[in-house]
Amino acid sequence: MKLPIYLDNHATTRMDPRVLDAMLPYFTELYGNAASRNHEFGWAAEAAVDKARKQIADLVGATAKEIIFTSGATESNNLAIKGVAEMYAEKGNHIITAATEHKAVLDTCKKLEKGGCRVTYLPLQGDGLIDLDMLRESITDKTILVSIMYANNEIGVIQPIREIGKICRERGVLFHTDAVQAVGKVPVDVNRDNIDIMSITGHKLYGPKGVGALYVRRKAPRVQITAQMDGGGHERGMRSGTLNVPGIVGLGEACEIARLEMPEESKRMAYLRDKLRFKLEAGLDEIFINGTMEHRLPGNLNMSFLYVEGESLLMGINDVAVSSGSACTSATLEPSYVLKALGLGDDLAHSSIRFGIGRFSTEEEIDYVADKLVDVVGKLRELSPLYEMVKEGIDLSTVQWAAH
Amino acid sequence: MAYSDKVLDHYNNPRNVGSLDKKSSNVGTGMVGAPECGDVMKLQIQVNDESGIIEDAKFKTFGCGSAIASSSLATEWLKGKTVDEALRIKNTDIVNELALPPVKIHCSVLAEDAIKAAISDYRNKQGVAQAA
């Protein structure tokens, strides 16, 4: 077993070597511009892009023409939301999203608010799911778009996408989903799930960074979005810019591998995740899973280790790469807004660790991480005045803290 | 974030972890911080009645590695000092010794506050004891 161990697969994934092999020729041999229509180099590039478009479409039940290439999910989310807001401005100016969306969605919505749009940020229930009745009630005759992520990047909770899409369809509102964590991990089907627009990125599914896609529905309904960059009119006029052919080939290959291997892979990841969970639960008291286990990505586990602060915990497992919801590990010094949206107190958010198990994770690694965590949490609790007080029978919520 | 060797040393081998009898008249207890802020320090001193010298110091800390190191270092420095000398320990001394980055300065402030709180508790107890 090699150290350090990577369990941060929601942040990014290692590129599959098979993806790299597929990409390599397009850097040095087949380097044509896919928009060059009058020579071999261009044709080869275009053929490669067409193949990738098909591979991506096949993974999500779309048609190739509905796939628009971008530089990644941040761009896809910006293009989807701003593009719809601009295109459908005459129809309405209201957008509905959720409090736990990625910043690429939330900050895009905030920008639109400054420009005169009205945005509703749906709260989450304690299990991490949105309340469908609240969604229904939030839709007005001015609503043009609902943007709800497929699966959350911190707690891995999968939203009832099909039902959300159905509600949107019934009310004549477009539905966008940021599906970067879900595509390639769980079965996604834009028709079954009633999705109109969907963001995808390469590097979350063992493909390259810097390439992504936006699914834009062409039929029932035909969705139009206003381009956010001016240029050569590539990608059906929605996204100008010379195509990143090697990246696109990589994204396509990554999607094909995911499609073929998902049934087996998701079982293996769920097995590893459950093993990690049960080992931790067997070895430690006072631990708490954040978000429902019932609707969750197979590779995700998010746990709070009560009375232990997240950054000190990460320090104790410094040969394991994971993330914490602790303020100390974030640039803003604020604890995770996703965990807070679940109703977790700051103290629990400070004590949380996100585990992201991936394609290259092994059982040996999971055993090592579980054992090490049990050891380190035990040691830090010996150090923790909170754990001591709880063991003495003191209710921490009754203590007058000298907050600073 | 990279930690200094001294922070790592205190984190891996924390000095003087534990608790003293908080009911004892020559033990002062300081508890500062709050769970929702991500750090709570409990620092205790035991003062020799005759010499007025801090003969033992213990801590427990919920917080990041720098908070643990700051309080561990504080207990090391407290031992052998008089109460008045202990009051002269400044958070900047801790920052310098542990090479804390700016974002972690609040950990050292918390340690200084914990020292002051422990001494204040000790003096209150002594005052009450003398008055009685």
Side-chain angles (χ1 to χ4, degrees):
Chain A
M1 188 178 66
K2 240 176 77 183
L3 295 173
I5 292 167
Y6 190 75
L7 281 188
D8 203 12
N9 283 283
H10 302 300
T12 194
T13 57
R14 172 182 166 187
M15 200 162 78
D16 193 305
R18 292 170 289 182
V19 171
L20 179 64
D21 287 344
M23 289 168 70
L24 283 173
Y26 293 91
F27 287 104
T28 52
E29 302 296 321
L30 302 165
Y31 49 83
N33 186 327
S36 297
R37 293 278 161 75
N38 54 348
H39 53 65
E40 288 267 354
F41 296 90
W43 298 330
E46 192 185 15
V49 168
D50 285 346
K51 181 184 171 199
R53 226 185 272 284
K54 178 83 168 53
Q55 288 169 316
I56 298 160
D58 285 348
L59 177 61
V60 298
T63 62
K65 283 184 175 169
E66 294 174 308
I67 303 297
I68 303 296
F69 290 110
T70 67
S71 63
T74 293
E75 186 192 342
S76 292
N77 287 332
N78 270 267
L79 177 57
I81 299 168
K82 290 174 182 165
V84 165
E86 203 172 328
M87 179 62 74
Y88 295 89
E90 284 184 12
K91 184 172 177 273
N93 67 344
H94 180 225
I95 295 170
I96 299 171
T97 185
T100 49
E101 293 295 309
H102 191 270
K103 290 287 181 189
V105 168
L106 290 177
D107 287 358
T108 297
C109 287
K110 281 185 191 139
K111 182 85 158 262
L112 289 172
E113 277 183 300
K114 284 183 192 152
C117 279
R118 204 168 68 75
V119 181
T120 300
Y121 300 92
L122 294 176
L124 257 74
Q125 304 175 102
D127 56 7
L129 297 170
I130 67 157
D131 180 340
L132 293 174
D133 288 330
M134 197 178 275
L135 170 65
R136 273 189 205 95
E137 288 158 15
S138 301
I139 297 174
T140 72
D141 56 355
K142 290 286 178 202
T143 308
I144 50 173
L145 180 70
V146 169
S147 178
I148 304 282
M149 68 191 351
Y150 209 111
N152 185 269
N153 50 306
E154 288 192 32
I155 52 176
V157 168
I158 299 169
Q159 295 293 344
I161 292 297
R162 201 179 314 178
E163 287 74 17
I164 296 170
K166 190 159 167 274
I167 292 168
C168 292
R169 199 59 52 85
E170 285 164 4
R171 302 290 293 272
V173 173
L174 293 177
F175 176 38
H176 165 250
T177 184
D178 173 356
V180 297
Q181 298 290 346
V183 168
K185 313 292 168 56
V186 291
V188 171
D189 185 305
V190 292
N191 292 315
R192 179 201 68 192
D193 296 338
N194 305 308
I195 294 165
D196 297 319
I197 316 169
M198 180 169 76
S199 303
I200 300 171
T201 192
H203 74 106
K204 307 279 194 196
L205 70 159
Y206 315 98
K209 294 172 180 60
V211 63
L214 187 66
Y215 159 79
V216 183
R217 179 174 288 280
R218 292 188 82 211
K219 268 191 224 154
R222 179 180 176 82
V223 178
Q224 291 178 286
I225 54 177
T226 305
Q228 299 297 304
M229 287 198 299
D230 299 312
H234 308 74
E235 301 296 278
R236 293 166 50 212
M238 287 186 249
R239 203 280 191 174
S240 289
T242 296
L243 291 179
N244 166 11
V245 177
I248 287 166
V249 167
L251 174 57
E253 185 69 17
C255 286
E256 178 153 346
I257 294 170
R259 184 173 60 83
L260 297 173
E261 300 186 354
M262 191 191 303
E264 281 306 309
E265 186 166 282
S266 59
K267 266 187 246 161
R268 197 179 74 86
M269 300 232 270
Y271 166 76
L272 293 179
R273 189 266 312 276
D274 293 340
K275 182 163 193 197
L276 177 62
R277 173 193 170 181
F278 294 132
K279 281 192 84 158
L280 291 174
E281 285 178 342
L284 294 165
D285 61 349
E286 308 266 18
I287 60 177
F288 186 80
I289 295 173
N290 298 312
T292 174
M293 286 301 292
E294 206 177 325
H295 309 280
R296 200 182 190 103
L297 295 173
N300 176 277
L301 188 63
N302 189 310
M303 274 187 160
S304 287
F305 298 84
L306 273 65
Y307 320 122
V308 171
E309 192 277 328
E311 188 188 331
S312 66
L313 187 47
L314 293 193
M315 219 172 142
I317 51 165
N318 59 0
D319 49 8
V320 182
V322 290
S323 290
S324 168
S326 161
C328 286
T329 62
S330 78
T332 59
L333 291 181
E334 285 296 321
S336 156
Y337 67 94
V338 173
L339 296 180
K340 289 183 74 174
L342 298 189
L344 257 70
D346 281 7
D347 51 339
L348 279 176
H350 280 299
S351 304
S352 74
I353 300 279
R354 172 186 75 178
F355 304 93
I357 295 161
R359 177 175 293 165
F360 303 103
S361 302
T362 66
E363 187 156 3
E364 192 186 9
E365 289 177 338
I366 296 299
D367 287 335
Y368 176 87
V369 171
D371 292 342
K372 182 132 191 177
L373 263 164
V374 168
D375 182 53
V376 171
V377 170
K379 190 183 136 202
L380 288 170
R381 281 181 175 168
E382 282 300 306
L383 271 179
S384 170
L386 306 179
Y387 192 63
E388 181 183 60
M389 289 163 83
V390 169
K391 290 286 143 185
E392 285 170 4
I394 297 169
D395 179 356
L396 294 182
S397 63
T398 64
V399 177
Q400 282 283 333
W401 300 103
H404 55 289
Chain B
M1 194 186 308
Y3 299 96
S4 71
D5 289 343
K6 282 181 179 159
V7 170
L8 285 173
D9 181 40
H10 278 281
Y11 174 83
N12 289 319
N13 310 291
R15 329 287 200 260
N16 308 309
V17 176
S19 299
L20 299 169
D21 178 8
K22 61 182 173 233
K23 294 192 187 83
S24 167
S25 65
N26 64 338
V27 169
T29 302
M31 174 104 81
V32 294
E36 52 269 26
C37 303
D39 31 34
V40 174
M41 277 182 197
K42 187 187 80 166
L43 195 145
Q44 293 181 302
I45 52 169
Q46 182 179 307
V47 183
N48 184 294
D49 284 335
E50 283 167 18
S51 63
I53 286 173
I54 297 170
E55 55 189 10
D56 202 1
K58 297 273 186 205
F59 86 97
K60 285 203 175 193
T61 290
F62 162 84
C64 66
S66 301
I68 290 169
S70 295
S71 38
S72 169
L73 176 67
T75 56
E76 261 193 332
W77 280 355
L78 285 169
K79 283 208 246 180
K81 283 195 168 61
T82 66
V83 170
D84 285 332
E85 285 167 348
L87 279 172
R88 289 200 284 273
I89 296 173
K90 288 276 166 283
N91 82 292
T92 45
D93 303 333
I94 296 170
V95 171
N96 292 336
E97 174 66 18
L98 296 177
L100 296 181
V103 68
K104 293 298 182 190
I105 286 173
H106 75 275
C107 298
S108 69
V109 173
L110 208 57
E112 185 187 320
D113 290 349
I115 294 172
K116 295 216 158 83
I119 291 173
S120 161
D121 181 53
Y122 166 74
R123 285 190 163 159
N124 280 340
K125 279 183 179 171
Q126 290 295 306
V128 170
Q130 277 163 21

